[in-house]
């Protein structure tokens, strides 16, 4: 049987609470320092993009991702970032479209990233 003993659950819950407390105590909120916040986002984006395919283009795509997220101005709905597939070109041809006429909702400009098909 795959039964879990109550003592195991209680022990794991205590460990989880300690882990959450340690993370909460050591967390740094750079939300009010735009330069530090952007640096944090760039580090996260670079780490996320550390694949063999994008490795040599990591900086370019990190910039695209961070700029698109920052254009959302605090909105956490990443569905507002539209990715438009275009045939041909290279990865470096990908760009963040500055055209403010691209709107998914009337209250916010949707950043748009044009890119090669199947690579994002």
């Amino acid at each position: 049987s795959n039964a879990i003993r109550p003592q195991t659950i209680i022990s794991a819950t205590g460990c989880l609470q300690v882990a959450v407390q340690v993370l909460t105590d050591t967390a740094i909120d750079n939300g009010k320092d735009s330069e530090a916040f952007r640096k944090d986002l760039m580090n996260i984006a670079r780490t996320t993009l550390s694949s063999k395919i994008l490795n040599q283009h990591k900086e370019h795509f990190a910039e695209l991702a961070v700029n698109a997220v920052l254009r959302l101005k605090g909105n956490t709905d990443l569905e507002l970032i539209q990715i438009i597939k275009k045939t041909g070109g290279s990865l470096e041809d990908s760009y963040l479209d500055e055209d403010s006429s691209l709107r998914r909702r009337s209250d916010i400009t949707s950043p748009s990233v044009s890119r090669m098909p199947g690579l994002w």
Side-chain angles (χ1 to χ4, degrees), residues 26-44 70:
T26 59
I28 298 171
D29 182 1
N30 286 325
K32 294 183 178 162
D33 179 350
S34 61
E35 188 175 319
F37 185 64
R38 181 177 180 77
K39 184 179 176 184
D40 288 345
L41 289 176
M42 285 296 293
N43 287 335
I44 292 166
L70 290 176

Side-chain angles (χ1 to χ4, degrees), residues 78-90:
L78 297 180
E79 294 294 319
L80 293 170
I81 299 173
Q82 300 173 9
I83 298 174
I84 300 169
K85 298 177 184 180
K86 295 197 175 190
T87 311
S90 70

Side-chain angles (χ1 to χ4, degrees), residues 38-57:
R38 181 177 180 77
K39 184 179 176 184
D40 288 345
L41 289 176
M42 285 296 293
N43 287 335
I44 292 166
R46 282 187 205 104
T47 300
T48 304
L49 295 168
S50 292
S51 73
K52 290 181 181 179
I53 295 172
L54 292 176
N55 196 36
Q56 64 193 42
H57 304 287

